[in-house]
Amino acid sequence: MRHELVSNSNDSPAPRVSVVVNVWGGDEPASLKRSLSSISSQRHRPDEVVVVVDGPISGELEEEIQSFKNGASFLVKAIYIQSPKGLWNARNVGIGEAEHEIVALHDADDVMHPERLRIQLNELRLNAIDVLCTPAWEFDAESGQITNLRMCSEEIINIRMMFWNNSINHSSVIARKDALIK
């Protein structure tokens, strides 16, 4: 896999990016805190974070969202869906509310590598890509031990497998908003 660095003398500036984070009542406050902290620790900071809360959540989860919002050096919008309608509904609401041309998807239990946005934005800038995903390390939330590496399929061997195995790690997706909406 090729990773080129964004040069300090960019020919064109990196596009502005919104990160859409989904939260629901079953999320753990410690996982959400770790997840939001990984967004704040990005080498290329997001221009906006859209937190979509799908249904009622605990006071502890709400405290983590407010703490993140109060401490962020970028815009944080919280959108509340009163009655839970599921991950993809919440994600679509967040994508629709995102103000910028590039949208990165993120869940309340995900942890972004500190270079994720910088590297992915560079790939989008250098290549004609609408949707980009990466491999994703899965880990045990309590121990931090890596348990699995989910790879993106480069080649589809059997089209029937697509119905049972999603080859896109949705939590690693960064995409052009108009492509997602289409």
Side-chain angles (χ1 to χ4, degrees):
M1 179 181 249
R2 174 178 57 87
H3 292 290
E4 296 179 26
L5 301 176
V6 176
S7 70
N8 291 333
S9 60
N10 289 339
D11 296 328
S12 62
R16 294 172 59 88
V17 62
S18 299
V19 176
V20 174
V21 181
N22 295 296
V23 180
W24 70 289
D27 288 321
E28 294 292 327
S31 291
L32 179 59
K33 182 177 185 171
R34 180 178 52 237
S35 178
L36 296 175
S37 176
S38 76
I39 296 171
S40 294
S41 299
Q42 288 297 292
R43 180 168 173 205
H44 178 102
R45 298 282 171 111
D47 297 286
E48 165 190 58
V49 175
V50 180
V51 178
V52 182
V53 179
D54 189 26
I57 59 172
S58 68
E60 293 89 355
L61 287 170
E62 183 61 38
E63 286 176 24
E64 292 301 336
I65 293 168
Q66 291 308 313
S67 176
F68 175 68
K69 192 173 184 177
N70 294 337
S73 61
F74 39 79
L75 176 65
V76 178
K77 294 192 292 192
I79 299 168
Y80 295 85
I81 300 171
Q82 295 304 311
S83 177
K85 295 187 175 123
L87 173 65
W88 284 101
N89 178 74
R91 184 161 283 145
N92 287 335
V93 167
I95 292 166
E97 290 292 324
E99 292 184 17
H100 302 297
E101 73 174 286
I102 304 297
V103 176
L105 303 181
H106 194 72
D107 290 336
D109 62 349
D110 294 338
V111 177
M112 282 190 188
H113 185 282
E115 299 286 341
R116 175 189 171 187
L117 293 179
R118 186 185 67 78
I119 291 170
Q120 287 184 319
L121 285 168
N122 192 50
E123 288 296 320
L124 289 176
R125 186 175 64 84
L126 295 175
N127 301 289
I129 299 172
D130 287 333
V131 179
L132 174 68
C133 79
T134 66
W137 290 104
E138 295 177 343
F139 63 94
D140 180 273
E142 289 183 23
S143 70
Q145 291 286 339
I146 293 174
T147 59
N148 190 32
L149 174 62
R150 292 190 63 205
M151 299 293 291
C152 299
S153 297
E154 291 182 14
E155 185 177 305
I156 300 168
I157 298 169
N158 183 341
I159 194 77
R160 285 181 244 189
M161 291 303 293
M162 286 181 57
F163 293 110
W164 305 108
N165 294 315
N166 184 354
S167 63
I168 296 176
N169 298 318
H170 69 264
S171 294
S172 73
V173 166
I174 192 165
R176 298 185 190 286
K177 181 178 175 178
D178 60 345
L180 291 174
I181 290 172
K182 286 178 187 172

